[in-house]
Amino acid sequence: MKTYEELLADLAAMKDERYRVFSERIVNVPAGSSVGVRTPLLRDYGKKLVKGDGFDLDLLLSFPNDVFEVRLLKCFAVGYQKMPFADKKRYIARCVPMIDGWGVCDLFCSTLKEVKKHREEFLPEIRKYVAEGTEFSQRFGYIMLLGCYMEQAYLPEIFSLLQEAKTQYYYTHMGAAWLIAEILVKFYEEGIAFLKTCLLEPKTVNKSIQKARESYRLTEEQKNYLKSLKK
């Protein structure tokens, strides 16, 4: 298993300075707090790291969280490491508190595809993260619902959890709006019924309508009706 210093040296060998400047603005991290490694390269590196001799996930998770790519690597490694799902849940729980931006959150969620095979087992975890009420625990919960639970059978649960959204937080607000917009695209009637009765702030309702109306999967008639529901 590599040391922290060796890990940083490997990342530095992959850096792209122009990408670093661009990426730090997009993912909203402090200037100079990332190396500038493109995500596909970082994913490949994470997969090789996990498969390498002597890989130690606990050691990796003990490394400092100061560098954006190191935080991402930890999340990627938890997703890529083969282990019983009960153990996976515990490692996920160790990563969620380190999420401090939409980039780490959403890329972590996209790596946890295994959850689709264990949706009922993981649902109490999502309830827990939403109930914590912090900006990124809630965004993590909503993006996981978006990626792994977008089926009609889960709509009542999703709607219930959306009612708990602390939308005074920008990234919670945006995560909830994205989730609602996808529901409107895939389950239009159910989404409309939710919009008419939900207790969410008008800004979140309006953002979800805006995002849904940008989809090519809705008809002009549906988009016009959605516009009439804006608050």
Side-chain angles (χ1 to χ4, degrees):
M1 174 65 191
K2 294 177 181 288
T3 65
Y4 180 59
E5 290 72 23
E6 290 171 333
L7 192 72
L8 291 181
D10 287 347
L11 295 177
M14 295 184 284
K15 72 179 180 180
D16 179 331
E17 183 60 20
R18 290 182 63 185
Y19 176 74
R20 180 191 68 78
V21 175
F22 166 78
S23 176
E24 286 179 351
R25 292 198 303 266
I26 296 299
V27 299
N28 195 29
V29 297
S33 66
S34 75
V35 178
V37 181
R38 294 179 180 271
T39 301
L41 287 177
L42 193 66
R43 284 195 181 277
D44 287 344
Y45 179 80
K47 291 174 183 176
K48 292 175 183 175
L49 188 69
V50 167
K51 294 178 181 178
D53 292 339
F55 175 69
D56 187 331
L57 182 55
D58 290 299
L59 178 58
L60 176 64
L61 292 178
S62 74
F63 290 166
N65 287 323
D66 300 340
V67 178
F68 173 71
E69 284 87 351
V70 174
R71 297 195 297 278
L72 268 182
L73 267 179
K74 292 180 180 185
C75 293
F76 288 167
V78 167
Y80 297 146
Q81 178 73 58
K82 295 186 182 301
M83 66 180 84
F85 193 71
D87 295 334
K88 181 86 70 175
K89 288 191 298 181
R90 288 192 287 271
Y91 278 105
I92 291 171
R94 291 175 62 180
C95 287
V96 171
M98 79 175 68
I99 296 174
D100 60 350
W102 72 265
V104 173
C105 179
D106 295 9
L107 287 169
F108 186 26
C109 291
S110 70
T111 309
L112 297 174
K113 295 181 174 63
E114 187 179 350
V115 169
K116 288 185 178 181
K117 300 177 182 178
H118 303 272
R119 284 184 287 199
E120 289 301 317
E121 186 178 350
F122 197 69
L123 198 52
E125 301 299 304
I126 292 181
R127 295 185 189 120
K128 178 185 72 176
Y129 295 127
V130 171
E132 285 178 10
T134 66
E135 184 169 17
F136 290 108
S137 69
Q138 287 205 327
R139 184 179 176 95
F140 176 80
Y142 295 142
I143 301 305
M144 287 302 300
L145 289 170
L146 178 65
C148 297
Y149 292 84
M150 194 55 60
E151 293 185 4
Q152 192 156 20
Y154 288 106
L155 289 180
E157 183 75 42
I158 293 173
F159 290 147
S160 176
L161 291 170
L162 278 167
Q163 297 282 27
E164 299 181 42
K166 307 293 185 184
T167 53
Q168 67 268 32
Y169 301 123
Y170 178 77
Y171 288 108
T172 300
H173 151 70
M174 291 298 289
W178 184 11
L179 178 56
I180 296 166
E182 190 64 17
I183 292 170
L184 286 166
V185 169
K186 291 189 174 181
F187 306 102
Y188 181 75
E189 297 298 333
E190 292 87 344
I192 292 292
F194 175 72
L195 285 185
K196 288 181 175 179
T197 60
C198 74
L199 303 176
L200 294 173
E201 289 185 89
K203 67 176 183 180
T204 304
V205 171
N206 293 344
K207 178 59 71 172
S208 67
I209 290 171
Q210 175 194 327
K211 292 176 78 67
R213 293 183 74 244
E214 292 170 354
S215 173
Y216 65 87
R217 292 173 287 175
L218 293 180
T219 66
E220 286 303 312
E221 182 180 1
Q222 289 173 322
K223 291 179 181 181
N224 289 336
Y225 184 67
L226 277 173
K227 188 176 182 180
S228 74
L229 296 179
K230 295 188 77 169
K231 299 183 179 181

